[in-house]
Amino acid sequence: MGKTALVTGSTSNIGAAIAERFAAEGAHVIVSGRSAERGGQVVRRIRDAGGQADFVPVDLDGSRERSDELAAAALGLLDGHLDVLVNNAGIFPGGRTVDIEPDVFDRVFAVNVKAPFFLVAALAPKMIASGGGAIINMGSWGARLGIPGTAMYAASKGAVETMTRAWAAEFGPAGLNVNAIAPGVIRETAPDAEERGERLMRGTPAGASGRPDAVAAAAVYLASDESSFVHGTVIDVDGGRIGVAVVGA
C-alpha cells in the first residue's frame, strides 16, 4: 500500500484491525479515539511489527471544531498528505423507540453522522488537492434489515450509506473514491452462542459472528489502487446476513 491513512475509532475492534492491517501493508497510519491507553497499545503493536503509526486523541462529538482539530492534527503528522480516510468511529446504544431520550438520539447522530460529515468536509478538498485518494465509511447491515430495538442506530447508518453515494458523486470526478463497508455481527472473540448477536447470525452461510480481520481485508481493497473503478458501493461483510438465507438452518 505505502500510503497515509487516518482511521477514526481505531483503538479497538474493527478500527484497530483496519489500522494494523493498513500498517502491515506499508501505510503510515494515524490511530484516533478517546482512549489514549488503548490507542497507545494499538500504536505499539504496529511499531513493534515494524510499521508506522501515531495516535491522536479525540472525542468526535459531532461538532465541526472536533472534526477540524482531528483533520489538522492528522495532516500535521503526515506532512500534509492524506491518502485514505476511514470513518469508523461510532456508537451503538439500542432500545425501543418509545424509550429513547432526545439526548441519546442527538448523541448517536452527532457521532455517527455529523462527525464523519464534517471530517470529510475538512479533509476531502485537501486530499483532492494532493492527488486524490479513498474515503471508506462504515455502514451496517442493520441499515437494510429491520431489527426490533435498532431504529435509531439503523437510521444513523442509513444516513452514512446515503452520504457515501452522494460523496461519490460529489468528489469522485475530482479523484476521490468514496465507498462503504457494512459489517455484520463482528466480535473480537467468540461470545456465548445464545448471545443476541450470535442468534442474529443463525440462518446465514457463516452461521456465527465474524472477526475484525474480515472487515479489515475489505478496507484494504477499498483503499488500494485495485478498487479505482469502484464508486459509491457498500460492500457487505456480514456472513451473508443481508443477501442469503440458509434454508432449514
Side-chain angles (χ1 to χ4, degrees):
M1 180 183 288
K3 299 183 179 184
T4 57
L6 166 60
V7 184
T8 69
S10 48
T11 61
S12 65
N13 205 357
I14 290 173
I18 292 172
E20 292 182 49
R21 182 66 181 273
F22 278 7
E25 297 284 337
H28 182 175
V29 181
I30 302 300
V31 175
S32 71
R34 291 177 294 177
S35 172
E37 179 181 0
R38 291 189 300 170
Q41 291 171 354
V42 175
V43 168
R44 282 193 294 276
R45 289 199 299 268
I46 289 173
R47 291 178 178 175
D48 288 347
Q52 288 183 282
D54 295 284
F55 175 67
V56 175
V58 66
D59 181 3
L60 288 172
D61 59 5
S63 67
R64 182 185 290 273
E65 290 76 17
R66 293 293 86 74
S67 291
D68 285 350
E69 287 172 6
L70 175 57
L75 289 171
L77 289 166
L78 298 172
D79 297 323
H81 183 90
L82 180 68
D83 295 305
V84 183
L85 167 62
V86 181
N87 285 309
N88 171 72
I91 55 176
F92 176 55
R96 299 189 311 160
T97 298
V98 298
D99 295 329
I100 299 297
E101 295 294 336
D103 62 327
V104 175
F105 187 96
D106 290 343
R107 173 69 174 163
V108 168
F109 272 76
V111 175
N112 292 5
V113 182
K114 291 178 67 178
F117 183 92
F118 287 123
L119 194 56
V120 167
L123 288 171
K126 292 182 171 56
M127 295 172 72
I128 290 168
S130 61
I135 295 174
I136 304 168
N137 299 317
M138 208 57 61
S140 172
W141 63 296
R144 280 163 287 134
L145 181 66
I147 305 167
T150 68
M152 175 179 56
Y153 175 78
S156 74
K157 288 302 183 177
V160 169
E161 294 189 7
T162 297
M163 289 192 303
T164 296
R165 291 183 285 271
W167 284 334
E170 184 173 351
F171 301 122
L176 276 182
N177 286 67
V178 186
N179 295 287
I181 300 170
V185 179
I186 301 293
R187 307 289 193 192
E188 292 183 276
T189 58
D192 184 275
E194 292 306 310
E195 191 271 337
R196 184 171 186 251
E198 293 301 296
R199 288 188 281 113
L200 285 170
M201 291 303 294
R202 291 175 184 169
T204 68
S209 60
R211 300 296 168 261
D213 284 349
V215 183
V220 168
Y221 167 66
L222 290 178
S224 72
D225 295 338
E226 282 75 14
S227 66
S228 62
F229 201 57
V230 181
H231 294 269
T233 292
V234 179
I235 295 181
D236 293 312
V237 184
D238 63 357
R241 177 72 285 170
I242 288 296
V244 184
V246 179
V247 178

